[in-house]
Amino acid sequence: MNCRHCAARLDAPFLDLGSAPPSNAYLAEDQLDAPETWFPLRLLVCHACWLVQTVDFASREALFTSDYAYFSSFSQSWLDHSRRYVTEMIARFGLDASSCVVEVAANDGYLLQYVCDAGIPTYGIEPTASTAARARARGIEIVERFFGVELGDALAAEGRSADLITANNVLAHVPDINDFVGGFARLLKPDGVATFEFPHLLEMVTRNQFDTAYHEHYSYLSLTAVERIFAANGLLVFDVQQLPTHGGSLRVFAQLMGGRRSVTPAVMALLQIEEDAGIMKPAFYSSFQRTAEMVKDDLLGFLLDARRSGLKVGAYGAAAKGNTLLNFAGVRPDLLPYVVDLNPAKAGSYMPGSRIPIVTQERLQADRPDRILVLPWNLRDEVVSQLAYAREWGAQFVVAVPSLQFI
């Protein structure tokens, strides 16, 4: 396999999690008697451009299907984050009723609803029919296609160029990262701005967030790699912010190459932090496998000890990262009988691979488990607050990543 950005030969291993089905391929009950498609889940690092990436086995069409089950609006903290983003961008870039805001990977309209509320013309680009339908129900126009150079050219030719394009948690999800980034250069107005949010590779490694690896994440991104990819495709990074979302993310601001905005000191400062941490040295990547295996061992030890002690364990959050963790550890319903989730598109279905039932909060309240394993550790505070009533029967909350902790 060659690097999906620079085409250099890839042969440096980073992480091997065995094999698993796609993390968002939830199963209906009538699918339990049928086989699942599993793909190897291996990550490599390019020593030429330092882009970490999955080994290609599954196409984007196989991963982002019409019944895609991830809906962004089910996290209140993410909605609050998105509302603040819209307010900040309007103020910083002077957006008004004469502007055009576009979101690539608009999902269910979680963010663009706030752009609409501000009276700014907007539309979203979203390839999955299930989430696109939810966005349209909010009154948001959706172009239901995958984004890239071809679509960027077509929309620009229709006079639909953007003053601001936002792309949250999608840059990692594209198999052809050059085509995807090139599309922004085609769709931006000459003085337009594009912002990208994505989990930071430095945080993934230093905080042992190996469960953010899954097939839908084709790339794992540092500013070092992103700056090079953008420059090769006509964009200049002029600012960057470090965010707490998803366990530590970056918000990168980009303009067309030769744009009028000066590069802020934050860009060089973060590039230096990455260099000092060893982002451009093979040793930075060499120990990640062992730390992931330690988490797996600790999780299995916890679940086995709970069963031997007669303690009831339930889980909360049928998130993609939870599927990575459970399938890597080989956890099945005998050790973890159910996972609670608020999303009605998931409740009543089964986790891919592990085939653990996904249930509503009513099951948790009836079962009154002794331990509640919080799978989306990035939302642990939100989840613990939502389930505060479980303290009444003495339940204890547990997270497995970055290490086994009792909350």
Side-chain angles (χ1 to χ4, degrees):
M1 176 178 168
N2 294 331
C3 175
R4 62 172 40 91
H5 165 57
C6 71
R9 180 67 185 170
L10 287 177
D11 54 15
F14 175 56
L15 182 65
D16 188 341
L17 297 179
S19 61
S23 61
N24 284 299
Y26 297 92
L27 300 169
E29 188 168 2
D30 61 5
Q31 294 177 295
L32 295 180
D33 291 330
E36 292 178 78
T37 301
W38 290 53
F39 302 97
L41 184 50
R42 293 193 291 118
L43 278 60
L44 305 175
V45 58
C46 175
H47 285 174
C49 69
W50 303 105
L51 179 63
V52 174
Q53 49 210 283
T54 56
V55 178
D56 289 337
F57 289 103
S59 68
R60 65 184 185 181
E61 289 79 9
L63 300 176
F64 302 103
T65 59
S66 61
D67 58 351
Y68 190 66
Y70 180 81
F71 292 82
S72 297
S73 293
F74 283 98
S75 169
Q76 186 58 51
S77 62
W78 185 244
L79 290 175
D80 294 341
H81 171 79
S82 303
R83 184 188 295 109
R84 288 192 298 270
Y85 167 84
V86 171
T87 300
E88 291 169 11
M89 295 306 105
I90 290 172
R92 180 170 180 176
F93 299 115
L95 303 173
D96 56 26
S98 66
S99 306
C100 178
V101 175
V102 176
E103 182 175 19
V104 176
N107 198 265
D108 60 4
Y110 73 99
L111 184 146
L112 291 184
Q113 62 182 324
Y114 304 120
V115 179
C116 291
D117 291 345
I120 299 173
T122 187
Y123 66 92
I125 299 168
E126 172 55 55
T128 63
S130 54
T131 58
R134 192 74 60 89
R136 291 190 183 105
R138 287 188 160 117
I140 298 166
E141 180 189 355
I142 296 293
V143 177
E144 198 171 315
R145 288 178 58 185
F146 286 103
F147 184 70
V149 168
E150 182 181 358
L151 182 56
D153 279 338
L155 292 169
E158 295 172 4
R160 311 201 72 187
S161 296
D163 296 278
L164 173 68
I165 310 177
T166 180
N168 289 343
N169 300 310
V170 63
L171 186 59
H173 289 72
V174 294
D176 189 342
I177 198 166
N178 291 320
D179 178 66
F180 183 77
V181 172
F184 288 79
R186 308 302 180 92
L187 188 55
L188 277 177
K189 291 181 181 179
D191 198 36
V193 171
T195 71
F196 303 78
E197 292 183 22
F198 49 84
H200 191 190
L201 175 68
L202 184 61
E203 299 290 343
M204 179 186 185
V205 174
T206 58
R207 298 191 186 188
N208 193 23
Q209 298 167 353
F210 74 91
D211 59 342
T212 58
Y214 35 94
H215 301 102
E216 290 92 329
H217 281 176
Y218 289 90
S219 301
Y220 302 80
L221 301 159
S222 63
L223 182 60
T224 298
V226 165
E227 185 188 48
R228 298 178 184 189
I229 294 167
F230 282 21
N233 291 284
L235 295 180
L236 173 71
V237 174
F238 68 87
D239 197 9
V240 63
Q241 296 172 349
Q242 294 174 272
L243 307 172
T245 52
H246 296 283
S249 296
L250 298 183
R251 177 185 290 158
V252 169
F253 295 75
Q255 62 185 346
L256 293 175
M257 196 65 69
R260 65 177 176 84
R261 297 175 182 85
S262 300
V263 178
T264 70
V267 174
M268 292 307 300
L270 186 53
L271 288 172
Q272 188 63 55
I273 288 172
E274 290 186 348
E275 182 177 352
D276 292 345
I279 283 281
M280 293 184 286
K281 296 179 180 177
F284 176 79
Y285 306 90
S286 61
S287 63
F288 198 50
Q289 180 72 35
R290 178 57 190 145
T291 56
E293 291 169 355
M294 290 171 62
V295 169
K296 176 184 71 172
D297 295 346
D298 289 346
L299 173 62
L300 285 172
F302 157 68
L303 293 172
L304 289 167
D305 287 346
R307 185 168 66 176
R308 293 188 190 106
S309 301
L311 298 176
K312 292 191 292 185
V313 180
Y316 186 93
K321 56 175 57 69
N323 288 322
T324 294
L325 174 64
L326 297 178
N327 284 319
F328 179 49
V331 175
R332 298 294 181 264
D334 60 324
L335 291 178
L336 191 64
Y338 58 85
V339 177
V340 175
D341 202 274
L342 295 182
N343 185 348
K346 294 181 181 178
S349 58
Y350 296 78
M351 303 280 272
S354 67
R355 301 195 168 199
I356 296 172
I358 303 172
V359 301
T360 64
Q361 281 196 72
E362 285 74 19
R363 171 69 181 274
L364 189 79
Q365 293 163 343
D367 189 50
R368 298 165 69 94
D370 302 291
R371 303 286 185 266
I372 300 173
L373 176 65
V374 180
L375 294 172
W377 43 261
N378 55 305
L379 301 176
R380 54 181 280 178
D381 293 339
E382 180 179 341
V383 171
V384 170
S385 177
Q386 287 176 354
L387 303 183
Y389 58 81
R391 300 283 195 192
E392 298 174 4
W393 67 73
Q396 192 170 25
F397 295 92
V398 184
V399 293
V401 177
S403 60
L404 192 70
Q405 300 173 42
F406 293 83
I407 305 170

